[in-house]
Amino acid sequence: MADGIADMRPAAGWIDAGAGTIDAAIYWDPAVYALEQERVFGKTWLCVAHESLVPKAGDFFTSRMGEDPVIVARQRDGSIAVFLNQCRHRGARLCRADMGQAKVFACSYHGWTYDLAGNLISISKESVVDGGKIDKTRWGAVKVAKIHNYHGLIFATWNPDAPAFDDFLGEAKWYFDMMFDRPGGTEVIGGVQKWVVKANWKLGAEQFTSDIYHFDYTHVGTSMAFMPPDMPMGEPPVVNGRQFRDQGHGGVVTTDVQLSDMQTAIAMGMDVLAYNQSRRPLMAETLGALRGHDAQPVHANIFPNLGILPLNQTLRLWQPRGPGEMEVWAWTLVDKEAPPEIKERARLQTQFTFASSGVFEQDDAENWAEVQRALRGPMGRSAVFNNQIGRGESRDPDGIFPGTTDFAMSEAAARGFYAHWQKLMLEDGQ
Amino acid sequence: MADGIADMRPAAGWIDAGAGTIDAAIYWDPAVYALEQERVFGKTWLCVAHESLVPKAGDFFTSRMGEDPVIVARQRDGSIAVFLNQCRHRGARLCRADMGQAKVFACSYHGWTYDLAGNLISISKESVVDGGKIDKTRWGAVKVAKIHNYHGLIFATWNPDAPAFDDFLGEAKWYFDMMFDRPGGTEVIGGVQKWVVKANWKLGAEQFTSDIYHFDYTHVGTSMAFMPPDMPMGEPPVVNGRQFRDQGHGGVVTTDVQLSDMQTAIAMGMDVLAYNQSRRPLMAETLGALRGHDAQPVHANIFPNLGILPLNQTLRLWQPRGPGEMEVWAWTLVDKEAPPEIKERARLQTQFTFASSGVFEQDDAENWAEVQRALRGPMGRSAVFNNQIGRGESRDPDGIFPGTTDFAMSEAAARGFYAHWQKLMLEDGQ
Amino acid sequence: MADGIADMRPAAGWIDAGAGTIDAAIYWDPAVYALEQERVFGKTWLCVAHESLVPKAGDFFTSRMGEDPVIVARQRDGSIAVFLNQCRHRGARLCRADMGQAKVFACSYHGWTYDLAGNLISISKESVVDGGKIDKTRWGAVKVAKIHNYHGLIFATWNPDAPAFDDFLGEAKWYFDMMFDRPGGTEVIGGVQKWVVKANWKLGAEQFTSDIYHFDYTHVGTSMAFMPPDMPMGEPPVVNGRQFRDQGHGGVVTTDVQLSDMQTAIAMGMDVLAYNQSRRPLMAETLGALRGHDAQPVHANIFPNLGILPLNQTLRLWQPRGPGEMEVWAWTLVDKEAPPEIKERARLQTQFTFASSGVFEQDDAENWAEVQRALRGPMGRSAVFNNQIGRGESRDPDGIFPGTTDFAMSEAAARGFYAHWQKLMLEDGQ
Amino acid sequence: MSYEMVLPYRVSDAGEPADLPLWHSVQQFLFQEAALLDRRAFAEWLDMLDDGIRYWAPTRYSRTPRERAGEWSRPDQAAHFDDSKQFLALRVRRLLTDRAWSEDAPSRTRHLVTNVQVRRLADGAIEADSNFLVYRGRVDDCEEIFSGARHDRLVGSDGPYPFRIAERVILFDHTMILANNLGIFF
Amino acid sequence: MSYEMVLPYRVSDAGEPADLPLWHSVQQFLFQEAALLDRRAFAEWLDMLDDGIRYWAPTRYSRTPRERAGEWSRPDQAAHFDDSKQFLALRVRRLLTDRAWSEDAPSRTRHLVTNVQVRRLADGAIEADSNFLVYRGRVDDCEEIFSGARHDRLVGSDGPYPFRIAERVILFDHTMILANNLGIFF
Amino acid sequence: MSYEMVLPYRVSDAGEPADLPLWHSVQQFLFQEAALLDRRAFAEWLDMLDDGIRYWAPTRYSRTPRERAGEWSRPDQAAHFDDSKQFLALRVRRLLTDRAWSEDAPSRTRHLVTNVQVRRLADGAIEADSNFLVYRGRVDDCEEIFSGARHDRLVGSDGPYPFRIAERVILFDHTMILANNLGIFF
Ligand code: FES
Ligand code: FES
Ligand code: FES
Ligand SMILES: [Fe+3]
Ligand SMILES: [Fe+3]
Ligand SMILES: [Fe+3]
């Protein structure tokens, strides 16, 4: 595929992270999309599930890695296997259920059977059809190269040369630990919500990586609705915090815990806030005072397509679906140890705010769709977008937060996201 | 894009205007379509609105230039601006309404704001986000290169090197003046009708340019329905007139004013006919006796996609929408000075005959769709169509009509339409 | 088109018939599909109708050759003509009906008229529009190069260099005669059923060519439903028979006539079985004892897209419709001489088992769709499928059946189908 | 600047909800009408229409929040249908010529008429509101869906049907018609 | 060469429109039936069918103006369904094996039954005409719409339901079925 | 492992089918509700809801034959809606700000409510089951179809409407929502 690249790509690449520009082709061009499936989704670590979706041996969840369907299955030894949901005989999907319990996966076409790890264990009528000559060990379902369980999030990659998972997170790990290394661990509320947004997946990923800037404009109506009717609509306060970025990941943490708690009270309710506050001493024991008490994460995205709103307790995958569509797969994330009424309250509030019918969520999705709608003609399609917001600082001037950071309302992490995306796109092979 | 052309195009070009043939690829090939967006719709003058749609300062109409969405806005100084309906920050459409009144266009994503001319006037939270370094004059909405108001029709082009508008009309201007240089000017009935025809836009454009030949066959049922039940169905009379053509434009004028008036009486009613007749002396004052009294325009198309039926008072844009679809945007055109009851009668009759439910219109649309339906397999797709009807005269043998003309029922103007289209397609760059 | 081939095709070709592998690209790649339309459907013989659909002069049936629409019309001399359903003027379809009676085909756009053989016989207003210069003999509808009536099945090809029809069938003719050379000839029940399966056409064709292996797995539920409720569900018996293959054709005949008759009794009813048995002496007179009494055909496919289930009396065309869809056109095939009640019983049983609502049919269609659903991402799309079932024998070890054969439950004919497909795909030109 | 839709017709405040028998009678009338349309019995359908009928389908627009009142065309603006009985009769006459190519072969329509609400007005006329979803099949694989509501004014009749349609307003849920034409009736 | 559709079944001229209670009773019966189908209570559904039922869905064609009468298959020609109760029972039995892969996972259907018109025939039987739009969801993103009308003949019953369906004609608005199969009931 | 759908709510076995007047009254109530939604008269719509309403749309899944009982989310699992009246009121308040961009321009909805079945329960409450197909148009060419059923519990009211909706379960026929959002009401 390398040959076509030079032609397809504008002279300076699609992304000029220095100048802060984005070539609109990355959102609509089918050739870019096809390459992206190979070079981004085929090469990097991808989140496929939360371990709480498959608690017992034989439990499975059918997920996606890019557009490829995969089965995530709990093994009898407690480990987790991830493999392509495709029979090696003539290619039928091995499993049609969204989730469930299985002993084996038997193909509905000619009955070839695979075990929970995707190994081919039976060729139908083997002796009758001279199947003995087929080496079953060579015809198992295609397995991922590596799997990693990161505080309950199951990641997998097709790439045997993918970096170790911690190296993949890089400097951002310090921040993601703050979200996922919760005392007693996390789980997701049962099930999953899926819906289809008519926009390129990167629009969701980029926003969760780097875009607190949109909030006061995109969500103005919802914010107004949440406020007491007689409260004057002033300019909302500027978030006091830092935006981290590394290897395409990004997010924001704030030291204005009081403001963050007020927002939690509004969006999640007083009980959830009180519960969360009660967990901070425990957090501090593990992660120290800064990550325990003194700061709170706001939003983040693990490259490429795992979005997180820690305050709103939503976790979501931006699943690519052609250049102009994505599926959003969303869960409510709760502490495993939280009392049932806190989990229930979180479930209700998260669904109400950030989910298929979420009052905040809706505004984001429609804005992304509006971006896509302007990408039909040659003028709109050849547009260069402005990605220059923020100073692009590298270090926290107060020396509080580690790694590469800018002030919260910056697009530095978006520049990082697209630069990392382009790096993968321009590297040949796996 | 020039590189791919040689391969894509048949050896002799798609069009052989001399032999009178058309390669069917121009109707279905996605590569031809993509190039056409750049080289035809990106280079030529395009009608975007009638000025009566935006009478007051702040009035806007969201239109299209090819597949690119544009805003047509009346400025405070009475002039009209046309610019791409796309925010330069991250590309959301700036305006979602079909038409209306605005003071500014504020982007719903991050609130960047543009004035009525598309100039970027505000970057949200500019001082907070270090936006001062962004040169707003460089990040306004993309503006068209030129705008021209031709007797109320607003034309625009992306091409700074586009010919002067009168040169663009060329010899055909003499004929178009006859349609649009009406005493007191014209206006369109409020609103617009839009519908989607599953056929390439050129099938509409070509027919209005050059095809009176189809009438007796395509519209036979409707013609029968309009006749008294006991009237025998004879061969309809041959239109006595001339078909003009230049630079892709084309149309027919007839000197058989009596026949034309009878058709007006049938299609538009006696009152409209009487009104129109009453305007002829005034027309003659401006344009002379020939264009005032002695001839009537029948049908026409301004290259590439503005169709006109003067008798039926319909004006329409053939908006491209992929190789196999077009949107038809249709208006009823009336004299500004016509009495209200004449405007109302014209509205009713035009809608009944040539609009989304129009009894004539329907037959055309379905025929075009039938052309498209046969373009699925390699035999149908590699067809060469016959475009040889007519003598291809250049001059009016009677010396009455100026410019290049053939007899009315010719395909000479179709040959001209396609030859001009091919000329643009083969010229590189803007 | 030859130029692009080398790049598009994997180094070893898509098909390695020796190793028994299939590159999944042949099912989803639009470039493969486009080439296939030219090189497979454009070059080989294709079944377009059964002659009983057009019994009388002027009867027509609108069919397809690949994605090209064609008209199959009975001529006044009793012969049959096949030509492209496209006007040569501006390309409108000449006939919009699915079947019927016509004297001529008059185009609805400008009225050009073609006779029953597709010859252009009238140019509208010929003298008025200077149409006399158009050589009507050069502007008739595009006709197929050859037509052949094979025991009532009408075949046509665009390819003047196509082999003689008997050579096209090759060794497989011996087997197809067994299905179609019925005493008194065959006919199809009036009308046709059409439905759309979201899967590549080759999945249907391949299965009818070569896949008895799927039956016990795909159709297990339906088989259970047909059995008495208290009958234990044992392993079904292995079909005792031979699978023939040649030039992409394939199918199975069984010598276990008793088992075959039991299956006929279940699927078609005792009366149909008794009728069929009564015909065997007559069959034997023409074709000999083996093909008359001692063996029964089970399933078959005439390359590329005519599927046959002789026992179930269904005949169907797998009509391509883009890489990911096919139309299935299905008929019930009966002996012309069968008594009305036998035809009626066959109609009811065939429709109930193998048709749009057929209880067996459904399972096949959904399996094919499941194959297609896994072909979205780069891992699934780059899969190599296993096509290794069966010993790949060449000769019947018992010396009973002629030609190249393997045991019944083999994929040897599938390997032959794909090898022949690839041979056509790699040959340039017509 | 109300969020609520401004309807293109005047909603009468006089009148009262129909009783059950009247509601049933009106609903059956509307179902009979739909059946005539789907069976293409257009000549008979014309008999259901009052000679003074206005059969009107105003165009619809996306508007800014401040201009929501302009969602529907005014009566003197663009309309998809604005037919007198004479116009409707001519449409039918055209179809019956068997040479109306746009309907060759005829569309395969199905009028799903639901949510029927009926009011009896002070002047004795009847107002019927209903929702519709019209499925239209053409050729072998062309499917169109028309969604909307109808606001009808009926008057009593001593013909074969108990009512005649004196006014019909068709409110499409489309700003752009996603079809080659509006060659069918609603 | 009439423009009006020639229906594939005989329209009885005897009989009269049902009164309101009977209409309501029949409509509720049809709604109960639809609910059973959408809940996949197929065994119970079979109890609603008369043992002698003909369940018939003739195929449909695009025809030339002169041959409009051939729009629907004749009773001895191709049909999408032409089932006896025995056939229908076998379809149900197949589904209940849990190994009918074409319906694994089962289709998510919704039968919108509208435009119900009822006639009582001279022989005491009841004719019910209705329109339907059946939505069918499969997998995560596969959507199908089936549009059509049904012509039912009902007979009285003293079982759990007041009627049994003695004849059903299903008129699809499709000449080609735009679905992998007709694996559901109408 | 029954083939029949296991509904996510308890089906009460007490109660009996509504008589015709009650059925009509409930159906008209549901039609009035649909009309308010399609006219975007959301503030008035809120008045139709009981203060204690649970407005719940559980998510749906494709399941293996052995786990069909898990087709619908349990009440403590993922849901597309799980709203109190307070939540619903906030949704409406948001829309009325005129700055809810996801509904700018507002969706063009049409609620086809069909197959209405009504039961009167022993405790005086009323259960209404209905099917719906909601058409939603957005922008010029964006069309969405939502199909499903509703299970409502109504209680009597002496307000402007005879009932209030005390519970609504919305059963979508979708496992994945094929829309940018669920920004409308069902
Ligand atoms: S495709 Fe899976 S066993 Fe054949
Ligand atoms: S996209 Fe317009 S302001 Fe950001
Ligand atoms: S397209 Fe057939 S006559 Fe013109
Ligand atoms: Fe947001
Ligand atoms: Fe025309
Ligand atoms: Fe099969």
Side-chain angles (χ1 to χ4, degrees), chain A residues 207-208 211 214-215 218-219 309 354 360-361 363-364 368, chain B residues 109:
Chain A
Q207 195 200 76
F208 274 52
D211 188 353
H214 79 286
F215 193 92
T218 292
H219 302 298
L309 293 183
F354 282 95
F360 288 100
E361 185 87 39
D363 295 314
D364 290 316
W368 303 332
Chain B
Y109 198 168

Side-chain angles (χ1 to χ4, degrees), chain A residues 98 100-101 190-196 198 217-218 222 225 227 347 349 351 356-357 362-363 366 373, chain F residues 61-63 66-67 75-80 82 87 91 93-94 99 101-102 138-139 177 179-180 182-183:
Chain A
D98 291 322
Q101 248 285 328
V192 55
Q193 279 188 52
K194 300 181 183 178
W195 67 96
V196 174
K198 286 182 192 66
Y217 305 90
T218 292
T222 309
M227 274 182 234
R347 181 181 76 82
Q349 298 291 141
Q351 283 172 177
S356 52
S357 73
Q362 292 175 35
D363 295 314
E366 197 63 19
R373 285 184 189 121
Chain F
Y61 304 101
S62 289
R63 290 288 194 171
R66 283 190 303 122
E67 295 176 288
D76 63 346
Q77 293 184 317
H80 290 299
D82 201 344
F87 276 8
R91 290 184 192 276
R93 207 169 141 204
R94 169 180 172 268
R99 287 178 179 75
W101 306 129
S102 66
R138 284 197 50 70
V139 206
I177 299 296
N180 287 347
L182 287 172

Side-chain angles (χ1 to χ4, degrees), chain A residues 238-407:
Chain A
V238 170
V239 174
N240 204 349
R242 296 299 293 176
Q243 182 196 63
F244 64 91
R245 63 184 190 273
D246 192 30
Q247 303 194 58
H249 315 299
V252 160
V253 288
T254 180
T255 47
D256 195 342
V257 176
Q258 202 178 353
L259 177 62
S260 168
D261 283 357
M262 203 183 76
Q263 291 167 337
T264 302
I266 292 173
M268 302 298 289
M270 290 303 299
D271 294 344
V272 171
L273 172 62
Y275 167 77
N276 282 344
Q277 287 171 329
S278 77
R279 304 297 281 176
R280 290 180 188 160
L282 274 173
M283 287 284 288
E285 277 179 31
T286 328
L287 297 174
L290 178 56
R291 291 190 286 179
H293 299 107
D294 301 343
Q296 286 292 304
V298 178
H299 68 76
N301 193 77
I302 299 185
F303 187 91
N305 68 330
L306 175 63
I308 310 137
L309 293 183
L311 185 156
N312 304 98
Q313 301 189 203
T314 186
L315 193 72
R316 73 262 316 285
L317 290 166
W318 319 105
Q319 305 283 31
R321 187 181 162 89
E325 288 192 1
M326 72 178 110
E327 293 173 18
V328 186
W329 293 18
W331 290 273
T332 303
L333 186 76
V334 294
D335 281 358
K336 218 181 285 186
E337 292 177 350
E341 63 276 15
I342 292 300
K343 291 182 184 176
E344 176 66 0
R345 182 44 48 194
R347 181 181 76 82
L348 292 170
Q349 298 291 141
T350 300
Q351 283 172 177
F352 177 59
T353 51
F354 282 95
S356 52
S357 73
V359 288
F360 288 100
E361 185 87 39
Q362 292 175 35
D363 295 314
D364 290 316
E366 197 63 19
N367 272 334
W368 303 332
E370 283 293 349
V371 173
Q372 210 71 35
R373 285 184 189 121
L375 297 174
R376 291 176 51 178
M379 297 304 291
R381 288 186 162 187
S382 63
V384 170
F385 293 154
N386 184 304
N387 191 17
Q388 302 176 341
I389 293 295
R391 283 188 289 276
E393 296 167 347
S394 287
R395 296 295 151 199
D396 180 1
D398 300 331
I400 299 173
F401 289 100
T404 309
T405 62
D406 199 355
F407 66 89

Side-chain angles (χ1 to χ4, degrees), chain C residues 60 96-103 189-198 217-222 224-229 321 327 329 344-345 347-349 351-352 356-359 362-363 365-367 369-370 373 376, chain E residues 54 56 59-64 66-67 73-83 86-88 90-91 93-95 97 99-104 136 138-144 175-184:
Chain C
F60 66 86
R96 303 168 173 195
D98 291 321
M99 61 192 79
Q101 248 285 331
K103 290 194 173 52
I189 297 291
V192 56
Q193 279 188 52
K194 300 181 183 180
W195 67 97
V196 175
V197 176
K198 287 183 192 65
Y217 304 91
T218 292
H219 301 297
V220 56
T222 308
M224 284 167 71
F226 266 100
M227 276 182 233
R321 187 181 161 90
E327 293 174 19
W329 292 18
E344 175 67 359
R345 181 45 48 193
R347 182 182 76 82
L348 293 170
Q349 298 290 140
Q351 282 172 179
F352 177 58
S356 53
S357 74
V359 288
Q362 292 176 35
D363 295 314
E366 196 64 19
N367 272 334
E370 283 292 349
R373 285 184 188 122
R376 292 176 49 179
Chain E
R54 185 188 196 189
W56 181 46
T59 48
R60 191 169 183 174
Y61 305 101
S62 288
R63 290 288 193 173
T64 61
R66 282 191 302 123
E67 294 176 288
S73 266
R74 294 195 317 257
D76 63 346
Q77 294 184 318
H80 290 299
F81 288 98
D82 201 344
D83 280 18
Q86 190 191 354
F87 276 8
L88 291 166
L90 199 144
R91 290 184 192 276
R93 208 169 140 203
R94 169 180 173 268
L95 292 169
T97 65
R99 285 177 180 75
W101 304 130
S102 68
E103 284 291 305
D104 172 28
R136 183 195 198 185
R138 285 198 48 72
V139 206
D140 54 359
D141 60 2
C142 176
E143 298 198 297
E144 295 162 2
T175 54
M176 179 159 71
I177 300 296
L178 301 175
N180 288 345
N181 59 59
L182 287 172
I184 58 175

